Each structure stands twice: as C-alpha cells, then as structure tokens.
Amino acid sequence: MRALVVHKHGSIDAVQIEEFPEPRPDAGEVLIDVHAASVNFPDLLVIGGTYQHLPPTPFVPGKDLAGTVAAVGSRVSRVRPGDRIMAQIEHGAFAERAIAAEAVCHPMPAGMSFTDAAAMGLVYLTAHFALVERAQMKRGEIVLVTGAAGGVGLASVQIAKALGATVVAAVSSDEKAAIARASGADHAVYTNVPDLRESLRTQVHAAVGQRGVDVIIDSVGGDVFDASLRAIAWCGRLVVVGFAAGRVPDIKAGYVLVKNISIIGLQSSDYRDREPEKVQRVQQELFELYAQGRLKPHVMARYPLSGFREALAMVRDRRVLGKIVLDVREDGKA
C-alpha cells in the first residue's frame, strides 16, 4: 500500500511516499480503507521526534482518519466491513490502509463526508473535553479561546457557542477574526498588538466587562498565555491544551492564589486510552450537534496524498485557518 513513511525523525523533507507493508488486524482491531486524513500540529512533533509518544522507525504518521471498514478482527462486534467510520489513532493515518482498535472507531452519521469526519476528529474531541470535562463550563459563562482560528481554536469556539457560552476569540489578524465570528464568536480580541500583556485584558474588558472571562481555552502558550491569564475572572478556569507559540509558560502561584484561579491540563488522548466509553459518548454528542447544523469543520484546503509536504508545511508555518485534510485515495470523493 502507499503511505507516508518516516525512517528517521527530523524535518518533513525526509518524509516520503513509499510502498509500505499493509497492516493486519488483531482480534480487537479494525482494518480501514482510508479516504481522508487530517493534519494536526502533533503530527509534526511525531515526525520531528519531540512528541511524548514516539513509534519505532520506520513508521507512518497521522492521527485522524475517516474511511470504510475493510476487515475486522474476531472479537470486533460494533462495526463490520463496509461501514463508514472515523477514528483517532497514535500513528498510521497517512496511508491507504490503517489499523485502529475497535474502541476508537466511530460510525459516521449519514450525510457526513469523509473530509468533515477527518477534520472533526482530534480537534473537536480535544475542544469538548477542554470545555466540558476539564473546565466544567456552564451555559451563560464567558469563554476566551486563544488561537481561535486554528483547529482546536475554531472547534472550541463552535462547541462553546453551541453549549450556550458567550465566546471571545483571541486572534492575530482581521481574516482570522472574520473566520472566528463566522464560527460563532461573539467578540474578537487581537494578539498582534503592542504591549500584549496590558492590551489583551483591556480588549477583553471592553468586550465583556471588567469581571473578565470565566473560562480560557489556551492552545498557544507563550506571551498569549501570560496575557490571557490577566483577563480571567475570580474563580476562573484556564485549560492548557498546547504550546503552539513554542514557549511553555511559567505560572506565578501567587496570582493563582489571590484570584482563586484553577489551571487545568488536558492530554485528550489519555481519555481515549483510559476511558474509551466516555470518548464514545462525547463523539456521539458531537455527531448530534453536527447533524443539527451547530458544528461544521472549516476545511481550509484539501490536498492529495502526493501534496503532503505542502500540507505539513502549512501547519508548520502556522498558515492554517481551521483544518487541512489529505485526500488519501486522491479520487476527489472524500
């Protein structure tokens, strides 16, 4: 089968399309004909060798996929050959066929395209777990989303709005502000400004009042994290999702104490491994919101598998608004 193959961790320039041995499902596994796979920032970390979970080389990267079931193991009962499913895996999605444990396979709703299913995988689960499981967001609260035009950011904007929050999108351009507003954001604040530390709080207060925001979903880190924390309300909750800016911020414990702030971490794949039944329930809720028209992935671009290097470079260079999807079958029918 054709696949993107990593023989040595490093630059995306070393990744090549090659013939790779087709995987075979064990008793509790599903073999999937991959039609679409989305590109995520952690894919770059895996390729570069800096992610927390690294497969032995050579390996096929890719964590999000959608396709049809080709074969199932002897203990699989929830899906069968021919079913349209999406799945999230540690690696292996950037190939014509992939293996997934039955527990992480989700039958797709009728009418959902493979492109939307792949784009709606990891980032929407991450956003939902950040908002509902970790932040315990309540209807009527105010939520600030950093990196609000990215994959997790736009998913957080849409889900928070669908669940009854007032949403403030932190973005770095007018184009990104427009996309965040189109996805449901009530307000936009800017991070490409002088004196971000003071300016972000001033912008937030102007938008929603001096009290600040109840919940922050931060996937950026760095200076944006530092500035965002100053805009949080008393007893507010900040969920750390990632560090796209590159710098892991330090937290002043005294500030956390005097404002009764909760700083909460999220590693969403741990739920997949530790509580797969909960992930199944969350995914069904996301599918229901999609069917109601309340969620819709923003797919900025689709590339054939042969265009993988440009797709990865788009993510690396932080040029993606929403999601990038690979059409693995290159048949234009994803």
Side-chain angles (χ1 to χ4, degrees):
M1 68 174 186
R2 291 190 321 143
L4 303 190
V5 182
V6 176
H7 289 277
K8 183 179 180 181
H9 294 294
S11 165
I12 63 174
D13 294 329
V15 183
Q16 299 291 339
I17 296 180
E18 301 177 11
E19 287 295 321
F20 199 73
E22 185 173 303
R24 296 180 179 277
D26 288 335
E29 294 180 331
V30 178
L31 178 65
I32 305 163
D33 282 325
V34 181
H35 286 257
S38 72
V39 182
N40 295 288
F41 183 73
D43 295 322
L44 296 175
L45 303 180
V46 174
I47 291 169
T50 59
Y51 196 62
Q52 54 263 46
H53 304 297
L54 293 175
T57 55
F59 68 92
V60 177
K63 295 179 175 294
D64 265 336
L65 62 91
T68 57
V69 175
V72 299
S74 60
R75 294 204 303 268
V76 172
S77 59
R78 289 180 47 253
V79 298
R80 59 186 180 181
D83 285 354
R84 301 167 70 251
I85 65 170
M86 56 103 86
Q88 295 81 48
I89 56 181
E90 274 300 311
H91 60 91
F94 298 160
E96 291 181 323
R97 284 191 161 183
I99 289 287
E102 180 186 22
V104 302
C105 294
H106 310 282
M108 293 162 49
M112 175 178 275
S113 68
F114 290 123
T115 297
D116 276 1
M120 202 174 159
L122 182 63
V123 294
Y124 278 78
L125 282 170
T126 297
H128 193 287
F129 273 101
L131 288 161
V132 179
E133 174 78 9
R134 305 300 288 148
Q136 297 287 302
M137 188 203 85
K138 303 175 185 66
R139 180 174 294 275
E141 288 192 312
I142 302 171
V143 176
L144 172 66
V145 179
T146 70
V152 172
L154 274 182
S156 297
V157 168
Q158 291 183 7
I159 294 170
K161 190 64 180 177
L163 298 181
T166 295
V167 181
V168 182
V171 295
S172 59
S173 71
D174 289 337
E175 181 184 18
K176 292 178 179 180
I179 289 173
R181 288 184 184 276
S183 286
D186 299 283
H187 309 279
V189 296
Y190 290 86
T191 56
N192 58 332
V193 292
D195 192 13
L196 178 63
R197 184 173 182 271
E198 292 295 334
S199 176
L200 189 65
R201 180 171 62 177
T202 299
Q203 293 178 74
V204 169
H205 287 177
V208 300
Q210 295 290 316
R211 180 175 172 276
V213 299
D214 301 291
V215 173
I216 299 173
I217 306 299
D218 179 55
S219 58
V220 178
D223 294 343
V224 172
F225 175 98
D226 297 340
S228 298
L229 194 59
R230 293 168 57 80
I232 202 166
W234 183 77
C235 285
R237 294 90 72 201
L238 186 153
V239 182
V240 179
V241 176
F243 313 106
R247 177 172 69 83
V248 178
D250 295 320
I251 300 169
K252 294 183 177 180
Y255 193 73
V256 174
L257 184 150
V258 297
K259 291 194 74 174
N260 277 20
I261 297 168
S262 298
I263 307 293
I264 307 161
L266 172 65
Q267 175 67 24
S268 62
S269 62
D270 283 354
Y271 285 95
R272 181 193 63 207
D273 298 334
R274 294 171 180 264
E275 299 187 68
E277 299 85 2
K278 182 176 287 186
V279 175
Q280 288 283 344
R281 292 195 299 272
V282 170
Q283 188 61 64
Q284 287 308 306
E285 181 177 341
L286 292 170
F287 282 154
E288 290 169 9
L289 291 171
Y290 176 91
Q292 295 165 10
R294 299 166 73 185
L295 301 181
K296 175 65 175 176
H298 178 83
V299 178
M300 178 182 180
R302 292 165 55 183
Y303 290 88
L305 190 63
S306 57
F308 74 91
R309 194 163 283 120
E310 174 62 18
L312 290 169
M314 290 278 288
V315 176
R316 178 196 64 196
D317 299 339
R318 300 180 65 184
R319 290 182 283 144
V320 178
L321 306 180
K323 292 291 293 179
I324 295 284
V325 173
L326 295 176
D327 292 338
V328 175
R329 295 283 152 177
E330 301 193 13
D331 56 7
K333 299 177 181 178

